[in-house]
Amino acid sequence: MTAATVGSREKQSPESGVDLWLRLVMIWHVILGLGSLGGIAYVWAGADLADWVKILVSVALGLTAVASIVAVNDINGRKHRGRTISLAVNYLGFLVAFFGSLHRIGVFTGIDSLADSFLQGLPFLILVFAGFFIGTLTDRYQKPATQRALKQTSKAMMIVAGIAFLLAVGIHNGILVLLGKLTNPVILLMVVVTAVFGLMLWAMWRQPSAEAMNATNADNEMLSGYLFLSPNLLGFLFFFAGPLLLSLYVSFTNWDAFGTKDWVGLANYGRIVNIDVARLNTITQLASEAIDVTVYDELTRFEIFGKSYIVGAQDKLFWLSLRNTLTFVLLSVPLSVIPALFLSNLLNSKIAGMKFFRAVYFLPSVAAVVGIALVWQWLFNATIGYINYFITVMVDFLNSVGGSFFDPQIRWLSDSNTALLAVVIVAAWQWMGFNTVLFLAGLQNIPRSLYEAATVDGANSWQQFWKVTLPLLAPTTFFVITTTTIQAMQIFEQVFILIPTNPAGPNNSTLTLVLYLYQKGFQRFEQGYASAIAWVLFVIIFGATLFQFQRQRASGSSYDA
Amino acid sequence: MSKRFSLLFVLMLALGLLLVACGGETTETAVEPTTAPAEVAAPTEAPAAEPAMEEVTLRWRTRPDNQAEIDVYQSVSDELSSTLEGVNLEYEAGGSETSSYQDVLKTELGAGTAPDVFWIPGTDIADFATRGLIMNLRDMATATTGYTDADFYPGPMYHLTFNPETGNTGETLWGLPRDVSTFALYINLDLLAESGAPDPRELAANGEWNWDSFIEVATAINNLGDDIYGYGQNAWWGPYGYWINAAGGGFFNEDRTACALDTAESLAGLEFEQRIYQEFNVAVPYGEDSEPPFLAGKVGMFQNGRWATPGTRSSANFNWDVVELPDGPAGPSNWLFWGAYVVNANTQHPEEAWKLVQALTTADVQGKIASLGANVPSRVSQAALDSFLTYTPPANNQAFLNGLANNPATEGPLWAGNWPEFDAVMGPAVAAVLNGEMTIDDYAASICNEANKVFNP
């Protein structure tokens, strides 16, 4: 053997290795493609699945098959597109197989019980952190020997404590159970498939494969970018876009969450918007004499130009909830934005203790809604609540010094005139802190020089606020108003907790759209109708936001200006 | 410390935790009962143990009212777990301050993760049965030696054996009642004594406890101060339903296929209740939770069920007792509240689930729960009633039993319609009347037009 031959082999050996891996990947894609086609045949031949599931699975398998065929062709021709497709297919396949395996093994339900044993291992976990802390001290010492000793101590401590932690929480039991479950052929197959997907993913990702597939730096950067993006993107697709589309489909059915979904077309939407307006002879005329009361419920009656009218709706509660929601928005948005604007100006000054007050005002935003609502529930109690108590004390005091005031004894949550207002107070109080922080951030971006110039020009504080602060704060104001409006449109938790026995409130005065769709979907078995309400709400919110954007553009100060 | 080591270490730790989770399902089981297994006083002949039966795990759930009940249910579950051969029980306490028991249960049923056996209120039976969510146990009950529907109060059993397809009762079995309860008036004896009003318990014993004497007592107590109320109730269908029923009215017509809220009797009952709030002005404002002011000693008579007893025992710092509800124009009236243990239609172990339902409704188990004070045993048994009378305070437990004896209206599902929808129409309208926002005439003109839409065509 000549030196030249040996050199040639040494050069060819890595390429041969790459070729081998690429061939393996191609073979895998052929198997995957055929398996996917076989899966489609099985789904339609014998699987006991709902039609929509069959369609969904078939589309997924069909895409896999097509992608695999294209990948084989491209990899064979050393086109980089083949690598990209192969990586995408294997990455998704790995995730599906991995999480599927975990599900079959029972890890997700097992995590619940991990909380029980976690406490037993907590002391060891603290030791792990202690070991890590020791490791962070190495930089403080100059001597290499000391640094080395600290590093080794840190590592040893972390490893020993880590092992002790896992033993304490029961890893030995978990390993035994896992080994037992691997005797199940389905689980074993899923684990093997997961491993193969992982292996093929690694084979195609590695640098030699990239070079063999003529990957450019741009290709690699693109793939890395998508890899980093993938958790969020997949989460969005599976947990947001997927359910969103499903709810759109459900809105065209009469699904009750348990039985079959019968297609009803636009019937749900028709029921929502079905209203009837009829003229009355007198404003007190019976509704049954003017509208078909077997279909419509009386929504309202009014007089205009001396004539009386009655409005009936097939779903009266939808319109009531829409009215309540819009009223809530009209009250809560100004009440949580305008005070926040003034508060942020106060908190923007540099005086002692200001950071403390900023934290205090922000606290309601980070506190749990449920806890807040429960506290307010007690405060609002008409008979023994603190709000009425203080009002009574104040009235008594004023009367004792010669006043003549009436103690209103406000029935905050049990009077249809005040119940929604009570919810507004809670929500505005809670949202104001967050809005204040947003305004504060906006204020701190306004150059001081503008105020100095205004001062030189003789502007007083109010003029500076009106002529400098407000215009330059417009993008922040727009953002705050838009997000608060959207939040207000979706009001639910505060109402649900504040009036627990009857969230709809006295005479349905706190029935909001989200509460209503919740009641329809989860309490009255009308998922289809609830989904239709959700989409109507979406359209309303979308329209309101679009309107705000257009107004913003028209005013000449877009958000990104 | 090198980043590589840190990364590797964290990955190994995460992998280790995943492995721990693999064993999670098995670590929860095999909980040994802390007390010796008690013999189950079977309502029927004890289910025959099958030899070499493979052990199955059943999940079951109730809606307990407090921690004491959770503890008792857990111990009952542990005991039955060792008594019922081949069955391992996992008890789940459902519901909390912020998560409605029924909402969670319905969501789990939709997701296919609901327990094998669970409790639901009587009003939900029709909805669950007609949607195929709960199992018809009739065949298994027929094959069970010694089982008979007559062991339980006929009111709940009417609905629990109702066949929605034929419209006849006695043909199915959707579950067995866990317990029953009636309303009583919880009396603040200190306020009563201070007011000088006649004692309602004596009035009841003399047959003089009616709406007139009720108003007399309530007014006397109410006059004690601006922050004192003669009477209080909470805003749901039960309390106002009593006033309607006691006047001879009702929510539904005779065969429960149409609204009867606009009959003369129903309107008379509601009108009287409206006067309590608007004319006599002796009650905690309608819609306000009356329990806190009652427990704070500011309400003379608080209308509530047996389930309010544990809270009153633990929180009331005054002398108290109970008295039956006053007789209305149509005579004595009350509700018979109940809920039932039912079997998930998708359970993998229907036979074992049926055994569990029987075991949970034995006199022994019901006695243990009833001793906590929250409810009355659902079995028609003098021994159970005698035992119930000993669970004091309140001293006058007989008031609850009198409510049972006086032909109470049974809380019931709406087989011919949708109860939650009916309730959603009725509740706000009644509240508007009681709050003075709607006249009785306007209410009468519209209520059944709206409510009748919830009945099946």
Side-chain angles (χ1 to χ4, degrees):
Chain A
M1 190 180 293
T2 64
T5 317
V6 172
S8 169
R9 268 193 194 168
E10 281 174 351
K11 274 185 182 175
Q12 284 176 357
S13 183
E15 288 174 10
S16 304
V18 171
D19 284 344
L20 179 64
W21 277 114
L22 292 182
R23 273 195 211 105
L24 280 174
V25 173
M26 284 194 287
I27 292 169
W28 166 242
H29 276 295
V30 170
I31 295 170
L32 195 60
L34 292 174
S36 300
L37 293 174
I40 294 172
Y42 170 74
V43 162
W44 290 100
D48 183 22
L49 298 169
D51 282 350
W52 70 273
V53 179
K54 285 181 180 177
I55 293 169
L56 209 65
V57 172
S58 299
V59 168
L61 290 175
L63 285 173
T64 306
V66 171
S68 289
I69 292 164
V70 174
V72 169
N73 184 52
D74 285 355
I75 293 170
N76 194 40
R78 294 297 188 268
K79 292 180 188 169
H80 188 263
R81 189 180 67 171
R83 179 174 176 250
T84 306
I85 293 171
S86 174
L87 284 171
V89 169
N90 284 315
Y91 179 61
L92 293 174
F94 175 78
L95 289 179
V96 171
F98 178 68
F99 286 111
S101 303
L102 292 183
H103 173 67
R104 292 289 297 195
I105 291 167
V107 167
F108 297 121
T109 48
I111 284 174
D112 283 346
S113 59
L114 183 59
D116 299 334
S117 60
F118 195 82
L119 274 181
Q120 296 160 18
L122 200 57
F124 299 108
L125 196 60
I126 292 170
L127 281 179
V128 170
F129 283 113
F132 179 79
F133 178 70
I134 290 170
T136 61
L137 298 177
T138 50
D139 294 341
R140 298 190 177 193
Y141 296 91
Q142 300 296 323
K143 289 182 182 174
T146 311
Q147 286 186 347
R148 206 164 36 247
L150 280 173
K151 272 185 185 174
Q152 285 171 350
T153 307
S154 162
K155 279 185 183 176
M157 196 167 165
M158 286 176 70
I159 291 169
V160 171
I163 292 170
F165 165 72
L166 291 174
L167 286 172
V169 295
I171 192 171
H172 47 292
N173 183 44
I175 291 171
L176 288 176
V177 172
L178 177 65
L179 291 175
K181 290 200 171 174
L182 285 178
T183 56
N184 180 321
V186 175
I187 292 177
L188 185 63
L189 180 68
M190 291 182 76
V191 171
V192 169
V193 169
T194 306
V196 173
F197 270 121
L199 188 67
M200 293 301 126
L201 190 62
W202 170 81
M204 218 30 154
W205 180 262
R206 54 205 282 268
Q207 191 57 28
S209 301
E211 288 171 7
M213 295 298 296
N214 302 311
T216 62
N217 284 342
D219 291 330
N220 287 334
E221 281 177 14
M222 178 197 70
L223 287 172
S224 299
Y226 276 115
L227 181 65
F228 281 111
L229 187 65
S230 62
N232 193 290
L233 189 64
L234 292 174
F236 172 80
L237 289 174
F238 281 100
F239 298 114
F240 188 79
L244 202 67
L245 290 176
L246 182 67
S247 85
L248 181 62
Y249 164 67
V250 169
S251 74
F252 296 110
T253 70
N254 63 355
W255 192 43
D256 65 354
F258 311 108
T260 53
K261 302 180 185 74
D262 295 326
W263 183 265
V264 295
L266 292 169
N268 288 330
Y269 294 95
R271 185 174 147 201
I272 289 173
V273 298
N274 188 7
I275 57 173
D276 185 25
V277 182
R279 191 166 160 197
L280 297 170
N281 295 328
T282 63
I283 194 73
T284 55
Q285 186 183 353
L286 285 175
S288 55
E289 293 171 2
I291 57 174
D292 182 358
V293 291
T294 61
V295 177
Y296 303 102
D297 292 330
E298 180 180 336
L299 186 60
T300 187
R301 52 179 73 197
F302 60 91
E303 283 183 306
I304 188 165
F305 303 125
K307 293 171 183 169
S308 305
Y309 295 91
I310 183 171
V311 181
Q314 189 175 0
D315 184 0
K316 180 175 81 170
L317 293 182
F318 169 81
W319 293 99
L320 285 179
S321 63
L322 178 62
R323 183 199 66 187
N324 293 339
T325 304
L326 294 178
T327 308
F328 178 82
V329 170
L330 288 175
L331 292 173
S332 64
V333 173
L335 277 176
S336 61
V337 172
I338 296 171
L341 179 61
F342 288 104
L343 199 59
S344 62
N345 275 275
L346 285 176
L347 295 175
N348 197 29
S349 54
K350 290 181 180 174
I351 55 174
M354 201 46 75
K355 284 184 180 173
F356 170 75
F357 284 108
R358 286 177 190 168
V360 166
Y361 283 112
F362 191 61
L363 266 181
S365 305
V366 292
V369 177
V370 171
I372 286 173
L374 285 173
V375 171
W376 277 97
Q377 188 189 86
W378 278 90
L379 292 175
F380 279 133
N381 189 297
T383 53
I384 55 169
Y386 272 105
I387 295 177
N388 276 0
Y389 171 74
F390 284 121
I391 291 174
T392 302
V393 168
M394 198 183 301
V395 168
D396 289 346
F397 171 74
L398 291 172
N399 288 341
S400 69
V401 294
S404 179
F405 294 94
F406 169 69
D407 185 353
Q409 284 292 315
I410 302 167
R411 294 167 51 192
W412 294 99
L413 298 174
S414 61
D415 186 333
S416 59
N417 296 312
T418 55
L420 192 64
L421 182 65
V423 182
V424 168
I425 290 170
V426 176
W429 173 81
Q430 195 185 4
W431 297 340
M432 193 176 63
F434 188 69
N435 289 343
T436 303
V437 171
L438 292 175
F439 277 126
L440 205 53
L443 284 173
Q444 288 172 354
N445 280 333
I446 299 175
R448 298 297 310 166
S449 56
L450 294 176
Y451 292 103
E452 289 162 8
T455 306
V456 170
D457 288 345
N460 60 27
S461 298
W462 175 249
Q463 287 169 325
Q464 286 182 22
F465 174 76
W466 199 250
K467 301 286 185 185
V468 178
T469 305
L470 265 188
L472 290 175
L473 211 53
T476 309
T477 310
F478 167 69
F479 177 79
V480 168
I481 290 176
T482 304
T483 53
T484 309
T485 304
I486 293 171
Q487 200 173 9
M489 288 271 197
Q490 297 172 335
I491 183 77
F492 173 74
E493 300 98 322
Q494 287 88 344
V495 187
F496 194 68
I497 309 296
L498 210 53
I499 317 176
T501 51
N502 176 27
N507 212 7
N508 289 314
S509 57
T510 57
L511 183 69
T512 61
L513 275 173
V514 177
L515 176 64
Y516 185 48
L517 78 88
Y518 173 81
Q519 289 181 337
K520 280 289 185 188
F522 294 92
Q523 295 180 331
R524 297 175 203 162
F525 302 108
E526 290 186 65
Q527 285 282 340
Y529 191 67
S531 299
I533 296 172
W535 277 91
V536 171
L537 176 64
F538 169 77
V539 169
I540 293 170
I541 292 176
F542 188 79
T545 310
L546 204 63
F547 174 74
Q548 285 173 321
F549 265 98
Q550 283 179 338
R551 293 276 301 165
Q552 182 72 3
R553 284 204 191 95
S555 70
S557 53
S558 65
Y559 174 60
D560 55 356
Chain B
M1 187 176 302
S2 70
K3 280 185 183 172
R4 191 171 180 172
F5 172 79
S6 300
L7 187 66
L8 202 64
F9 183 80
V10 170
L11 280 175
M12 294 305 290
L13 213 58
L15 188 67
L17 283 174
L18 274 183
L19 282 170
V20 175
C22 289
E25 280 183 322
T26 57
T27 53
E28 279 188 333
T29 56
V31 178
E32 291 296 325
T34 50
T35 54
E39 189 178 336
V40 177
T44 62
E45 201 168 279
E50 294 170 24
M53 191 165 54
E54 190 181 341
E55 179 148 301
V56 299
T57 297
L58 289 182
R59 291 166 54 218
W60 70 284
R61 185 182 297 174
T62 59
R63 186 180 66 183
D65 287 312
N66 49 52
Q67 186 58 42
E69 271 194 48
I70 292 174
D71 294 342
V72 170
Y73 280 122
Q74 184 62 60
S75 74
V76 164
S77 184
D78 292 341
E79 286 183 19
L80 292 179
S81 207
S82 57
T83 311
L84 292 174
E85 204 163 327
V87 178
N88 178 53
L89 296 180
E90 288 180 3
Y91 169 66
E92 301 168 2
S96 72
E97 188 79 37
T98 54
S99 64
S100 160
Y101 176 87
Q102 278 105 313
D103 295 1
V104 173
L105 183 63
K106 287 170 184 173
T107 307
E108 290 185 354
L109 283 164
T113 57
D116 300 278
V117 171
F118 48 84
W119 173 91
I120 52 175
T123 45
D124 278 358
I125 293 291
D127 245 355
F128 279 61
T130 52
R131 291 173 199 279
L133 304 179
I134 54 178
M135 189 173 280
N136 180 2
L137 307 169
R138 176 52 71 194
D139 289 344
M140 287 187 285
T142 306
T144 304
T145 312
Y147 170 79
T148 166
D149 295 347
D151 283 345
F152 299 92
Y153 283 100
M157 294 313 289
Y158 174 89
H159 294 291
L160 281 170
T161 61
F162 189 86
N163 185 344
E165 291 175 3
T166 63
N168 297 324
T169 190
E171 295 179 350
T172 61
L173 185 64
W174 301 111
L176 294 180
R178 181 186 75 173
D179 48 48
V180 295
S181 189
T182 57
F183 269 144
L185 286 171
Y186 288 72
I187 316 168
N188 183 326
L189 296 176
D190 294 347
L191 287 180
L192 184 70
E194 193 181 340
S195 71
D199 190 327
R201 294 169 298 180
E202 292 173 11
L203 292 171
N206 297 332
E208 297 168 350
W209 185 226
N210 51 38
W211 286 6
D212 291 336
S213 51
F214 166 81
I215 290 297
E216 184 189 344
V217 173
T219 305
I221 295 173
N222 201 73
N223 289 341
L224 288 174
D226 288 344
D227 60 343
I228 303 294
Y229 301 91
Y231 167 71
Q233 64 163 228
N234 284 340
W236 58 287
W237 59 265
Y240 63 73
Y242 152 73
W243 297 99
I244 291 172
N245 292 341
F251 293 167
F252 313 116
N253 64 357
E254 191 76 17
D255 58 358
R256 301 169 73 89
T257 55
C259 162
L261 290 165
D262 60 356
T263 63
E265 294 82 4
S266 296
L267 294 174
L270 189 62
E271 188 171 17
F272 183 82
E273 192 182 5
Q274 186 193 40
R275 292 173 65 202
I276 292 175
Y277 287 94
Q278 303 299 325
E279 183 184 325
F280 304 123
N281 203 16
V282 293
V284 175
Y286 189 77
E288 293 291 328
D289 187 351
S290 291
E291 191 158 16
F294 172 72
L295 294 176
K298 292 179 180 297
V299 177
M301 294 180 285
F302 174 41
Q303 181 182 340
N304 212 337
R306 178 69 186 184
W307 55 84
T309 295
T312 310
R313 281 179 184 170
S314 60
S315 303
N317 293 316
F318 50 82
N319 293 305
W320 63 279
D321 200 354
V322 295
V323 65
E324 50 263 53
L325 299 178
D327 295 350
S333 179
N334 212 313
W335 282 108
L336 197 162
F337 300 108
W338 59 282
Y341 286 117
V342 295
V343 174
N344 187 339
N346 290 323
T347 183
Q348 300 296 308
H349 313 291
E351 296 281 347
E352 289 81 3
W354 165 236
K355 285 178 193 170
L356 175 60
V357 169
Q358 292 176 83
L360 287 171
T361 50
T362 59
D364 180 43
V365 170
Q366 291 194 339
K368 283 178 184 166
I369 309 297
S371 66
L372 294 170
N375 45 40
V376 184
S378 63
R379 291 188 158 271
V380 184
S381 150
Q382 192 54 47
L385 297 183
D386 291 344
S387 180
F388 172 76
L389 289 173
T390 65
Y391 304 143
T392 57
N396 188 24
N397 273 323
Q398 186 63 42
F400 290 104
L401 300 188
N402 289 346
L404 276 178
N406 290 327
N407 193 28
T410 304
E411 168 189 7
L414 202 49
W415 292 99
N418 184 320
W419 164 257
E421 290 285 3
F422 187 89
D423 190 29
V425 171
M426 175 175 63
V430 168
V433 171
L434 299 182
N435 281 326
E437 296 168 345
M438 184 188 276
T439 66
I440 284 285
D441 290 341
D442 288 345
Y443 168 86
S446 63
I447 185 66
C448 281
N449 288 336
E450 296 189 19
N452 276 330
K453 292 191 185 77
V454 311
F455 290 91
N456 301 332

